[in-house]
Coordinates of all heavy atoms in Angstrom, one line a residue:
M14 N 31.7 40.0 4.6 CA 30.7 39.4 3.9 C 29.4 39.8 4.6 O 29.2 39.5 5.8 CB 30.8 37.8 4.0 CG 29.9 37.0 3.2 SD 30.4 35.3 2.9 CE 30.5 34.7 4.5
G15 N 28.4 40.3 3.9 CA 27.2 40.6 4.5 C 26.2 39.5 4.7 O 26.4 38.4 4.1
I16 N 25.0 39.7 5.5 CA 24.2 38.7 5.8 C 23.5 38.3 4.6 O 23.2 37.1 4.3 CB 23.1 39.3 6.8 CG1 23.8 39.5 8.2 CG2 21.8 38.5 6.9 CD1 24.0 38.2 8.9
R17 N 23.2 39.2 3.7 CA 22.6 38.9 2.4 C 23.4 37.9 1.5 O 22.8 37.0 0.9 CB 22.4 40.3 1.6 CG 21.1 40.4 0.9 CD 20.9 41.8 0.4 NE 20.0 42.5 1.2 CZ 18.7 42.6 0.9 NH1 18.1 42.0 -0.1 NH2 17.8 43.3 1.6
D18 N 24.8 38.2 1.5 CA 25.6 37.2 0.7 C 25.6 35.9 1.4 O 25.5 34.8 0.6 CB 27.1 37.8 0.8 CG 27.2 39.2 0.2 OD1 26.4 39.5 -0.7 OD2 28.1 39.9 0.5
V19 N 25.6 35.9 2.6 CA 25.5 34.6 3.4 C 24.3 33.9 3.0 O 24.4 32.6 2.7 CB 25.6 34.7 4.9 CG1 25.6 33.4 5.6 CG2 26.9 35.5 5.3
Q20 N 23.2 34.5 3.0 CA 21.9 33.9 2.7 C 21.9 33.4 1.4 O 21.5 32.3 1.1 CB 20.7 34.9 2.9 CG 19.3 34.2 2.8 CD 18.3 35.1 3.2 OE1 18.4 36.1 3.8 NE2 17.0 34.6 3.0
G21 N 22.4 34.2 0.4 CA 22.5 33.7 -1.0 C 23.4 32.4 -1.1 O 23.0 31.4 -1.8
R22 N 24.4 32.4 -0.4 CA 25.4 31.3 -0.5 C 24.7 30.1 0.1 O 24.8 29.0 -0.5 CB 26.7 31.5 0.3 CG 27.6 32.3 -0.5 CD 29.0 32.6 0.3 NE 29.7 31.3 0.6 CZ 30.7 31.2 1.3 NH1 31.2 32.4 1.8 NH2 31.4 30.2 1.6
L23 N 24.0 30.2 1.2 CA 23.4 29.1 1.9 C 22.2 28.6 1.0 O 22.0 27.3 0.9 CB 22.9 29.6 3.3 CG 23.9 29.7 4.4 CD1 23.3 30.4 5.7 CD2 24.5 28.3 4.7
E24 N 21.5 29.4 0.4 CA 20.4 29.0 -0.4 C 20.8 28.2 -1.7 O 20.3 27.3 -2.0 CB 19.5 30.2 -0.9 CG 18.5 30.6 0.3 CD 17.8 31.9 0.1 OE1 18.2 32.5 -0.9 OE2 17.0 32.3 0.9
L25 N 22.0 28.7 -2.2 CA 22.6 28.0 -3.4 C 23.0 26.6 -3.0 O 22.8 25.5 -3.7 CB 23.8 28.7 -3.9 CG 23.6 29.7 -5.0 CD1 24.9 30.5 -5.4 CD2 23.0 29.1 -6.2
R26 N 23.6 26.6 -1.8 CA 24.1 25.3 -1.2 C 23.0 24.4 -1.0 O 23.2 23.2 -1.2 CB 25.0 25.6 0.1 CG 25.6 24.5 0.8 CD 27.1 24.5 0.4 NE 27.6 23.3 0.9 CZ 27.8 22.2 0.3 NH1 27.8 22.2 -1.1 NH2 28.4 21.1 0.8
L27 N 22.0 24.9 -0.5 CA 20.8 24.0 -0.2 C 20.2 23.5 -1.5 O 19.9 22.3 -1.5 CB 19.7 24.9 0.6 CG 18.4 24.0 1.0 CD1 18.9 23.0 2.1 CD2 17.5 25.1 1.7
D28 N 20.1 24.3 -2.5 CA 19.6 23.8 -3.8 C 20.5 22.7 -4.3 O 20.0 21.7 -4.8 CB 19.7 25.0 -4.9 CG 18.5 25.9 -4.7 OD1 17.5 25.6 -3.9 OD2 18.4 27.0 -5.3
E29 N 21.8 22.9 -4.3 CA 22.8 21.9 -4.8 C 22.6 20.6 -4.0 O 22.6 19.5 -4.6 CB 24.2 22.6 -4.5 CG 25.3 22.1 -5.3 CD 26.6 22.7 -4.7 OE1 26.7 23.9 -5.0 OE2 27.4 22.0 -4.1
L30 N 22.5 20.7 -2.7 CA 22.4 19.5 -1.8 C 21.1 18.7 -2.0 O 21.1 17.6 -2.2 CB 22.5 19.9 -0.4 CG 23.8 20.4 0.3 CD1 23.7 21.0 1.6 CD2 24.8 19.2 0.2
L31 N 20.1 19.6 -2.2 CA 18.7 18.9 -2.5 C 18.7 18.2 -3.8 O 18.1 17.1 -4.0 CB 17.6 19.9 -2.4 CG 17.2 20.4 -1.0 CD1 16.2 21.5 -1.0 CD2 16.7 19.3 -0.1
A32 N 19.4 18.8 -4.9 CA 19.5 18.2 -6.1 C 20.3 16.9 -6.1 O 20.0 15.9 -6.7 CB 20.2 19.2 -7.2
R33 N 21.4 17.0 -5.4 CA 22.2 15.7 -5.2 C 21.5 14.6 -4.4 O 21.5 13.6 -4.8 CB 23.5 16.1 -4.4 CG 24.6 16.5 -5.4 CD 25.8 17.1 -4.7 NE 26.4 16.2 -3.8 CZ 27.3 16.7 -2.8 NH1 27.5 18.0 -2.7 NH2 27.8 15.8 -2.0
A34 N 20.7 15.1 -3.4 CA 19.9 14.1 -2.7 C 18.9 13.5 -3.6 O 18.6 12.3 -3.5 CB 19.3 14.8 -1.3
G35 N 18.4 14.3 -4.5 CA 17.2 13.8 -5.3 C 17.8 12.7 -6.3 O 17.3 11.7 -6.5
H36 N 19.1 13.0 -6.8 CA 19.8 12.1 -7.7 C 20.0 10.8 -7.0 O 19.9 9.6 -7.6 CB 21.1 12.6 -8.2 CG 20.9 13.8 -9.3 ND1 20.1 13.5 -10.4 CD2 21.3 14.9 -9.3 CE1 20.1 14.6 -11.2 NE2 21.0 15.5 -10.5
I37 N 20.5 10.8 -5.8 CA 20.8 9.7 -5.0 C 19.5 8.9 -4.8 O 19.5 7.6 -4.9 CB 21.5 10.0 -3.7 CG1 22.9 10.6 -4.0 CG2 21.5 8.7 -2.8 CD1 23.7 10.8 -2.8
G38 N 18.4 9.5 -4.5 CA 17.2 8.9 -4.2 C 16.7 8.1 -5.5 O 16.3 7.0 -5.4
A39 N 16.9 8.7 -6.6 CA 16.5 8.1 -7.9 C 17.3 6.9 -8.3 O 16.8 5.9 -8.6 CB 16.5 9.2 -9.0
D40 N 18.6 7.0 -7.9 CA 19.6 5.8 -8.1 C 19.1 4.7 -7.2 O 19.2 3.5 -7.6 CB 21.0 6.2 -7.7 CG 21.7 6.9 -8.9 OD1 21.1 6.9 -10.0 OD2 22.9 7.3 -8.7
L41 N 18.7 5.1 -6.0 CA 18.4 3.9 -5.0 C 17.2 3.2 -5.4 O 16.9 2.1 -5.1 CB 18.2 4.5 -3.6 CG 19.5 4.8 -2.8 CD1 19.3 5.6 -1.5 CD2 20.3 3.5 -2.5
L42 N 16.3 3.9 -6.1 CA 15.0 3.4 -6.5 C 15.2 2.6 -7.8 O 14.3 1.9 -8.2 CB 13.9 4.5 -6.8 CG 13.5 5.2 -5.5 CD1 12.5 6.4 -5.8 CD2 12.7 4.1 -4.5
G43 N 16.3 2.7 -8.5 CA 16.4 2.1 -9.7 C 16.4 0.6 -9.5 O 16.7 0.0 -8.5
L44 N 16.0 -0.1 -10.7 CA 15.9 -1.5 -10.6 C 17.2 -2.2 -10.7 O 18.1 -1.7 -11.3 CB 14.9 -2.1 -11.8 CG 13.6 -1.7 -11.8 CD1 12.8 -2.1 -13.0 CD2 12.9 -2.4 -10.6
H45 N 17.3 -3.4 -9.8 CA 18.5 -4.0 -9.9 C 18.5 -5.1 -11.0 O 17.5 -5.6 -11.4 CB 18.7 -4.8 -8.6 CG 19.0 -3.8 -7.4 ND1 19.0 -4.2 -6.1 CD2 19.5 -2.6 -7.5 CE1 19.4 -3.0 -5.4 NE2 19.7 -2.1 -6.2
S46 N 19.8 -5.4 -11.4 CA 19.9 -6.3 -12.4 C 19.5 -7.8 -12.1 O 19.6 -8.1 -10.8 CB 21.4 -6.5 -12.9 OG 22.0 -5.2 -13.1
A47 N 19.1 -8.6 -13.0 CA 18.7 -10.0 -12.8 C 20.0 -10.8 -12.4 O 20.0 -11.7 -11.8 CB 17.9 -10.5 -13.8
D48 N 21.0 -10.3 -13.2 CA 22.4 -11.0 -13.0 C 22.8 -10.9 -11.5 O 23.0 -9.7 -11.0 CB 23.4 -10.4 -14.0 CG 24.7 -11.0 -14.0 OD1 25.2 -11.2 -12.9 OD2 25.1 -11.4 -15.1
L49 N 23.1 -12.0 -11.0 CA 23.5 -12.1 -9.5 C 24.7 -11.3 -9.2 O 24.8 -10.5 -8.2 CB 23.6 -13.5 -8.9 CG 22.2 -14.1 -8.5 CD1 22.5 -15.5 -8.0 CD2 21.5 -13.2 -7.5
D50 N 25.8 -11.5 -10.0 CA 27.0 -10.8 -9.8 C 26.8 -9.3 -9.9 O 27.3 -8.6 -9.1 CB 28.1 -11.3 -10.8 CG 28.7 -12.6 -10.5 OD1 28.4 -13.0 -9.3 OD2 29.3 -13.3 -11.3
E51 N 26.1 -8.9 -10.9 CA 26.0 -7.5 -11.0 C 25.0 -7.0 -9.9 O 25.3 -5.8 -9.5 CB 25.3 -7.2 -12.4 CG 26.3 -6.7 -13.5 CD 25.6 -6.4 -14.7 OE1 24.7 -5.6 -14.6 OE2 26.0 -6.9 -15.7
A52 N 24.1 -7.7 -9.5 CA 23.3 -7.3 -8.5 C 24.0 -7.0 -7.2 O 23.8 -6.1 -6.5 CB 22.2 -8.3 -8.2
A53 N 25.0 -7.9 -6.9 CA 25.9 -7.8 -5.6 C 26.6 -6.4 -5.7 O 26.7 -5.7 -4.7 CB 26.7 -9.0 -5.6
V54 N 27.1 -6.2 -6.9 CA 27.9 -4.9 -7.1 C 27.0 -3.7 -6.8 O 27.4 -2.8 -6.1 CB 28.5 -4.8 -8.5 CG1 29.1 -3.4 -8.7 CG2 29.6 -5.9 -8.6
E55 N 25.7 -3.9 -7.3 CA 24.8 -2.8 -7.1 C 24.4 -2.6 -5.7 O 24.2 -1.5 -5.2 CB 23.6 -2.9 -8.0 CG 23.9 -2.8 -9.5 CD 22.7 -3.1 -10.4 OE1 21.7 -3.5 -9.8 OE2 22.9 -2.8 -11.6
V56 N 24.4 -3.8 -4.9 CA 24.0 -3.6 -3.5 C 25.1 -2.8 -2.8 O 24.8 -2.0 -2.0 CB 23.8 -5.0 -2.9 CG1 23.7 -4.9 -1.4 CG2 22.4 -5.5 -3.4
E57 N 26.3 -3.2 -3.1 CA 27.4 -2.4 -2.5 C 27.4 -1.0 -2.9 O 27.6 -0.1 -2.0 CB 28.7 -2.9 -3.0 CG 29.2 -4.1 -2.1 CD 30.5 -4.7 -2.7 OE1 31.3 -4.0 -3.2 OE2 30.7 -6.0 -2.5
A58 N 27.1 -0.7 -4.1 CA 26.9 0.7 -4.6 C 25.8 1.4 -3.8 O 26.0 2.6 -3.4 CB 26.7 0.9 -6.1
D59 N 24.8 0.6 -3.5 CA 23.6 1.2 -2.8 C 24.0 1.6 -1.4 O 23.6 2.6 -0.8 CB 22.4 0.3 -2.7 CG 21.5 0.3 -3.8 OD1 21.8 1.1 -4.8 OD2 20.6 -0.4 -4.1
E60 N 24.8 0.7 -0.7 CA 25.3 0.9 0.6 C 26.1 2.3 0.6 O 26.0 3.2 1.6 CB 26.0 -0.2 1.1 CG 25.1 -1.2 1.8 CD 25.7 -2.7 1.9 OE1 26.9 -2.7 1.9 OE2 24.9 -3.5 2.2
A61 N 26.9 2.4 -0.4 CA 27.7 3.6 -0.5 C 26.8 4.9 -0.7 O 27.0 5.9 -0.1 CB 28.7 3.5 -1.7
L62 N 25.8 4.7 -1.5 CA 24.9 5.8 -1.7 C 24.1 6.2 -0.5 O 23.9 7.3 -0.2 CB 23.8 5.4 -2.8 CG 24.3 5.5 -4.3 CD1 23.2 5.0 -5.2 CD2 24.6 6.9 -4.6
L63 N 23.8 5.1 0.3 CA 23.0 5.4 1.5 C 23.8 6.2 2.5 O 23.4 7.2 3.1 CB 22.6 4.1 2.2 CG 21.3 3.4 1.6 CD1 21.1 2.1 2.3 CD2 20.1 4.3 1.8
G64 N 25.1 5.8 2.6 CA 26.2 6.6 3.4 C 26.2 8.0 2.9 O 26.1 9.0 3.8
Q65 N 26.2 8.2 1.6 CA 26.3 9.5 1.0 C 25.1 10.3 1.4 O 25.0 11.5 1.7 CB 26.5 9.5 -0.4 CG 27.9 9.4 -1.0 CD 27.9 9.2 -2.5 OE1 27.2 10.0 -3.1 NE2 28.7 8.4 -3.0
S66 N 23.9 9.6 1.3 CA 22.7 10.3 1.4 C 22.5 10.6 2.9 O 21.9 11.7 3.2 CB 21.5 9.5 0.8 OG 20.7 8.9 1.9
A67 N 23.0 9.9 3.9 CA 23.0 10.2 5.3 C 23.8 11.5 5.5 O 23.3 12.4 6.3 CB 23.5 9.1 6.2
L68 N 25.0 11.6 4.9 CA 25.8 12.8 5.0 C 25.1 14.0 4.4 O 25.1 15.1 4.9 CB 27.2 12.6 4.3 CG 28.2 11.8 5.0 CD1 29.4 11.7 4.1 CD2 28.6 12.5 6.3
L69 N 24.4 13.8 3.3 CA 23.8 14.9 2.6 C 22.7 15.4 3.5 O 22.4 16.6 3.7 CB 23.2 14.4 1.3 CG 24.1 14.5 0.1 CD1 23.4 13.9 -1.2 CD2 24.4 16.0 -0.3
E70 N 21.9 14.5 4.1 CA 20.7 14.8 5.0 C 21.3 15.7 6.1 O 20.6 16.7 6.5 CB 20.2 13.6 5.6 CG 19.4 12.8 4.6 CD 18.1 13.5 4.0 OE1 17.6 14.3 4.7 OE2 17.8 13.2 2.8
L71 N 22.4 15.3 6.7 CA 23.0 16.0 7.7 C 23.5 17.6 7.3 O 23.1 18.5 8.0 CB 24.4 15.3 8.2 CG 24.9 15.7 9.5 CD1 23.9 15.2 10.7 CD2 26.3 15.1 9.7
E72 N 24.0 17.6 6.1 CA 24.4 18.9 5.6 C 23.2 19.7 5.3 O 23.2 21.0 5.5 CB 25.2 18.8 4.3 CG 26.7 18.9 4.6 CD 27.5 18.9 3.3 OE1 27.8 17.9 2.6 OE2 27.8 20.2 2.9
I73 N 22.2 19.2 4.7 CA 20.9 19.8 4.5 C 20.3 20.4 5.7 O 19.9 21.6 5.9 CB 19.9 18.9 3.8 CG1 20.4 18.7 2.3 CG2 18.5 19.6 3.7 CD1 19.6 17.6 1.5
A74 N 20.4 19.6 6.9 CA 19.9 20.1 8.1 C 20.7 21.2 8.7 O 20.1 22.2 9.2 CB 19.8 18.9 9.1
Q75 N 22.0 21.1 8.4 CA 22.9 22.2 8.9 C 22.6 23.6 8.2 O 22.4 24.6 8.8 CB 24.3 21.8 8.8 CG 24.7 20.8 9.8 CD 26.2 20.3 9.6 OE1 26.7 20.4 8.4 NE2 26.9 19.7 10.5
V76 N 22.5 23.4 6.9 CA 22.3 24.6 6.1 C 20.9 25.2 6.4 O 20.8 26.5 6.5 CB 22.4 24.3 4.6 CG1 21.9 25.5 3.7 CG2 23.7 23.9 4.1
R77 N 19.9 24.3 6.5 CA 18.5 24.8 6.9 C 18.6 25.5 8.3 O 17.9 26.5 8.5 CB 17.6 23.7 7.0 CG 17.1 23.2 5.6 CD 15.8 22.5 5.5 NE 15.2 22.4 4.2 CZ 14.9 21.2 3.7 NH1 15.0 20.1 4.5 NH2 14.4 21.2 2.5
G78 N 19.4 24.9 9.2 CA 19.5 25.5 10.6 C 20.1 26.9 10.5 O 19.7 27.9 11.0
A79 N 21.1 27.0 9.5 CA 21.9 28.3 9.4 C 20.9 29.4 8.9 O 20.8 30.5 9.3 CB 23.0 28.2 8.5
L80 N 20.1 29.0 7.8 CA 19.1 29.9 7.2 C 18.0 30.3 8.2 O 17.7 31.5 8.3 CB 18.4 29.2 6.0 CG 19.3 29.2 4.7 CD1 18.5 28.2 3.8 CD2 19.3 30.6 4.2
S81 N 17.6 29.5 9.1 CA 16.6 29.8 10.0 C 17.3 30.7 11.3 O 16.6 31.7 11.7 CB 15.9 28.6 10.8 OG 16.6 28.0 11.7
R82 N 18.5 30.5 11.5 CA 19.2 31.4 12.4 C 19.5 32.8 11.8 O 19.4 33.8 12.5 CB 20.6 30.7 12.9 CG 20.3 29.6 13.9 CD 21.8 29.2 14.5 NE 22.8 29.0 13.7 CZ 23.1 27.9 13.0 NH1 22.2 26.9 13.1 NH2 24.1 27.7 12.2
L83 N 19.6 32.8 10.6 CA 19.7 34.1 9.8 C 18.4 34.9 10.0 O 18.5 36.1 10.3 CB 19.9 33.9 8.3 CG 21.3 33.8 7.8 CD1 21.3 33.6 6.3 CD2 22.1 35.2 8.1
K84 N 17.3 34.2 9.9 CA 16.0 34.8 9.9 C 15.7 35.3 11.4 O 15.2 36.4 11.6 CB 14.9 33.8 9.5 CG 14.7 33.7 8.0 CD 13.4 33.2 7.8 CE 13.2 32.9 6.1 NZ 13.3 31.5 5.9
S85 N 16.2 34.5 12.3 CA 15.8 34.8 13.7 C 16.8 35.8 14.3 O 16.7 36.2 15.4 CB 15.7 33.5 14.6 OG 17.0 32.9 14.7
G86 N 18.0 36.0 13.6 CA 19.0 36.9 14.0 C 20.0 36.3 14.9 O 20.9 37.1 15.5
D87 N 20.0 35.0 15.0 CA 21.0 34.3 15.8 C 22.2 33.9 15.0 O 23.1 33.1 15.6 CB 20.4 33.1 16.5 CG 19.2 33.5 17.5 OD1 19.3 34.5 18.1 OD2 18.3 32.6 17.6
Y88 N 22.2 34.2 13.8 CA 23.3 33.8 13.0 C 24.6 34.3 13.4 O 24.7 35.4 13.7 CB 23.1 34.1 11.5 CG 24.1 33.6 10.6 CD1 24.0 32.3 10.3 CD2 25.2 34.4 10.1 CE1 25.0 31.7 9.4 CE2 26.1 33.8 9.3 CZ 26.0 32.5 9.0 OH 27.0 32.0 8.1
G89 N 25.7 33.4 13.4 CA 27.0 33.7 13.8 C 27.3 33.7 15.2 O 28.4 34.0 15.7
V90 N 26.3 33.2 16.0 CA 26.6 33.0 17.5 C 26.6 31.6 17.7 O 25.8 30.8 17.2 CB 25.4 33.7 18.2 CG1 25.5 33.4 19.7 CG2 25.3 35.2 17.9
C91 N 27.5 31.0 18.5 CA 27.6 29.6 18.7 C 26.4 29.1 19.5 O 26.0 29.7 20.5 CB 28.9 29.4 19.5 SG 29.2 27.7 20.1
I92 N 25.9 28.0 19.0 CA 24.7 27.4 19.6 C 25.0 26.8 21.0 O 24.1 26.5 21.8 CB 24.0 26.4 18.7 CG1 24.8 25.3 18.3 CG2 23.3 27.0 17.6 CD1 24.0 24.1 17.7
S93 N 26.3 26.5 21.2 CA 26.6 25.7 22.4 C 27.1 26.8 23.5 O 26.6 26.7 24.6 CB 27.9 24.9 22.2 OG 27.4 23.8 21.2
C94 N 28.0 27.7 23.2 CA 28.5 28.7 24.3 C 28.0 30.1 24.2 O 28.2 30.8 25.0 CB 30.0 28.5 24.4 SG 30.8 29.3 23.0
G95 N 27.3 30.3 23.0 CA 26.9 31.8 22.9 C 28.0 32.8 22.4 O 27.7 33.9 22.3
A96 N 29.2 32.3 22.2 CA 30.2 33.2 21.7 C 30.0 33.5 20.2 O 29.3 32.8 19.6 CB 31.5 32.6 21.9
E97 N 30.6 34.6 19.8 CA 30.5 35.0 18.4 C 31.5 34.0 17.6 O 32.5 33.8 18.0 CB 31.0 36.4 18.2 CG 30.2 37.1 17.1 CD 30.5 38.5 17.1 OE1 30.1 39.2 18.0 OE2 31.3 39.0 16.1
I98 N 30.9 33.5 16.5 CA 31.8 32.5 15.6 C 32.6 33.5 14.8 O 32.2 34.4 14.2 CB 30.8 31.6 14.7 CG1 29.9 30.9 15.6 CG2 31.6 30.7 13.9 CD1 29.0 30.0 14.9
A99 N 33.9 33.1 14.7 CA 34.9 33.9 14.0 C 34.5 34.0 12.5 O 34.1 33.2 11.9 CB 36.4 33.3 14.0
P100 N 34.5 35.3 12.0 CA 34.1 35.5 10.6 C 34.8 34.6 9.5 O 34.2 34.2 8.6 CB 34.5 37.0 10.4 CG 34.5 37.5 11.8 CD 34.9 36.5 12.6
A101 N 36.1 34.4 9.9 CA 36.9 33.5 8.9 C 36.3 32.1 8.9 O 36.2 31.5 7.9 CB 38.3 33.4 9.4
R102 N 35.8 31.6 10.0 CA 35.2 30.3 10.1 C 33.8 30.4 9.3 O 33.5 29.4 8.6 CB 34.9 29.9 11.5 CG 34.1 28.6 11.7 CD 34.3 28.1 13.2 NE 33.3 27.1 13.5 CZ 33.3 25.8 13.1 NH1 34.4 25.4 12.4 NH2 32.5 24.9 13.4
L103 N 33.1 31.4 9.5 CA 31.8 31.5 8.7 C 32.0 31.7 7.2 O 31.2 31.1 6.4 CB 31.0 32.7 9.2 CG 30.4 32.5 10.7 CD1 29.8 33.8 11.1 CD2 29.4 31.4 10.7
E104 N 33.1 32.3 6.9 CA 33.5 32.5 5.4 C 33.7 31.2 4.9 O 33.3 30.8 3.8 CB 34.7 33.4 5.3 CG 35.3 33.6 4.0 CD 34.5 34.7 3.2 OE1 34.1 35.7 3.9 OE2 34.2 34.3 2.1
A105 N 34.5 30.3 5.6 CA 34.9 28.9 5.1 C 33.7 28.0 5.1 O 33.5 27.0 4.4 CB 36.0 28.4 5.9
M106 N 32.8 28.2 6.1 CA 31.7 27.2 6.4 C 30.5 28.0 6.9 O 30.2 28.1 8.1 CB 32.3 26.3 7.5 CG 31.5 25.0 7.6 SD 32.2 24.1 9.1 CE 30.8 23.2 9.6
P107 N 29.7 28.6 5.9 CA 28.6 29.4 6.3 C 27.5 28.8 7.2 O 26.8 29.4 7.8 CB 28.1 30.0 5.0 CG 29.0 29.5 3.9 CD 29.8 28.4 4.5
E108 N 27.5 27.5 7.1 CA 26.5 26.8 7.9 C 27.0 26.5 9.3 O 26.3 25.7 10.1 CB 26.0 25.5 7.2 CG 27.1 24.4 7.2 CD 28.0 24.4 6.0 OE1 28.3 25.6 5.4 OE2 28.6 23.4 5.6
A109 N 28.1 26.9 9.7 CA 28.6 26.5 11.1 C 27.7 27.1 12.1 O 27.2 28.1 12.1 CB 30.1 27.1 11.2
A110 N 27.4 26.2 13.1 CA 26.5 26.5 14.2 C 27.2 26.6 15.4 O 26.7 27.1 16.4 CB 25.4 25.4 14.3
Q111 N 28.6 26.3 15.4 CA 29.3 26.3 16.7 C 30.6 27.1 16.4 O 31.1 27.0 15.3 CB 29.7 24.8 17.2 CG 28.4 24.2 17.7 CD 28.7 22.8 18.2 OE1 29.3 22.0 17.4 NE2 28.6 22.5 19.4
C112 N 31.2 27.6 17.6 CA 32.5 28.2 17.3 C 33.5 27.1 17.2 O 33.2 26.0 17.5 CB 32.8 29.1 18.5 SG 33.1 28.2 20.2
L113 N 34.7 27.4 16.8 CA 35.8 26.6 16.6 C 36.0 25.7 17.8 O 36.2 24.4 17.8 CB 37.1 27.2 16.2 CG 38.1 26.2 15.4 CD1 37.4 25.6 14.2 CD2 39.2 27.1 15.0
A114 N 36.1 26.3 19.0 CA 36.3 25.6 20.3 C 35.3 24.5 20.5 O 35.6 23.4 20.9 CB 36.5 26.6 21.4
C115 N 34.1 24.9 20.4 CA 32.9 23.9 20.7 C 32.9 22.8 19.6 O 32.7 21.6 20.0 CB 31.6 24.6 20.7 SG 31.5 25.6 22.2
A116 N 33.1 23.2 18.3 CA 33.2 22.2 17.3 C 34.3 21.2 17.6 O 34.1 20.1 17.3 CB 33.3 22.9 15.9
D117 N 35.4 21.7 18.0 CA 36.6 20.9 18.2 C 36.1 19.9 19.5 O 36.5 18.6 19.4 CB 37.8 21.7 18.8 CG 38.7 21.9 17.7 OD1 38.5 21.5 16.6 OD2 39.8 22.5 18.0
L118 N 35.6 20.4 20.5 CA 35.2 19.5 21.6 C 34.3 18.4 21.1 O 34.3 17.3 21.6 CB 34.5 20.4 22.6 CG 35.2 21.2 23.6 CD1 34.4 22.0 24.5 CD2 36.2 20.4 24.4
R119 N 33.4 18.8 20.3 CA 32.4 17.8 19.9 C 33.0 16.7 19.1 O 32.6 15.5 19.1 CB 31.3 18.5 19.0 CG 30.0 17.6 18.9 CD 29.1 18.4 18.1 NE 29.6 18.8 16.8 CZ 28.9 19.4 15.7 NH1 27.7 19.5 15.9 NH2 29.5 19.8 14.7
G120 N 34.1 17.1 18.3 CA 34.7 16.1 17.4 C 35.6 15.1 18.2 O 36.1 14.2 17.7
K121 N 35.9 15.5 19.4 CA 36.7 14.6 20.3 C 36.0 13.7 21.1 O 34.9 13.9 21.5 CB 37.7 15.4 21.2 CG 38.9 16.0 20.3 CD 39.7 17.0 21.1 CE 40.6 17.7 20.2 NZ 40.9 19.0 20.6
P122 N 36.6 12.4 21.3 CA 35.8 11.4 22.1 C 35.7 11.8 23.6 O 36.4 12.6 24.1 CB 36.7 10.0 22.0 CG 38.0 10.6 21.5 CD 38.0 11.9 20.9
Ligands
ZN25 ZN1 31.1 27.8 21.3

């Protein structure tokens, strides 16, 4: 996979994520029902949306980070240890900023 393909994939992903974030934002701004029972359900739904939107923000930041590393020529190099990230990992997750070993370490308590 060439750098150009990666950039295309990341840009598409960013568009998709931004569109989803926009929908969630619009839902959150929607007016709540006057009916109390329904309003309670909507508050719960809002909490779920907020959780989703936090995840989206994180993904957007990762994709933007990957795009800026592409520009600076640091793409594909682990931001923690400086090792080259395995091509298979980048293929599966083009926004990966860390090699598998460092990502594993981070995921553990
Ligand atoms: Zn690493």
Side-chain angles (χ1 to χ4, degrees):
M14 189 167 59
I16 289 288
R17 222 170 251 267
D18 298 333
V19 176
Q20 189 171 349
R22 276 179 67 183
L23 286 168
E24 278 167 356
L25 269 179
R26 183 98 185 104
L27 186 60
D28 280 351
E29 198 184 293
L30 290 169
L31 288 173
R33 272 165 61 196
H36 285 306
I37 289 180
D40 275 357
L41 282 171
L42 288 176
L44 286 175
H45 284 166
S46 308
D48 185 308
L49 274 183
D50 284 345
E51 261 183 50
V54 169
E55 284 173 2
V56 167
E57 273 175 34
D59 274 1
E60 279 165 10
L62 280 176
L63 281 174
Q65 278 179 39
S66 112
L68 279 178
L69 273 174
E70 292 294 329
L71 195 71
E72 258 193 277
I73 288 169
Q75 284 172 341
V76 172
R77 284 196 165 134
L80 280 167
S81 81
R82 289 195 304 281
L83 267 178
K84 276 202 192 107
S85 64
D87 298 327
Y88 184 76
V90 176
C91 175
I92 57 165
S93 297
C94 71
E97 214 171 287
I98 302 175
R102 176 165 165 78
L103 289 175
E104 178 77 44
M106 197 182 150
E108 71 274 27
Q111 290 178 303
C112 68
L113 200 55
C115 291
D117 261 4
L118 278 181
R119 197 179 52 169
K121 281 171 190 154

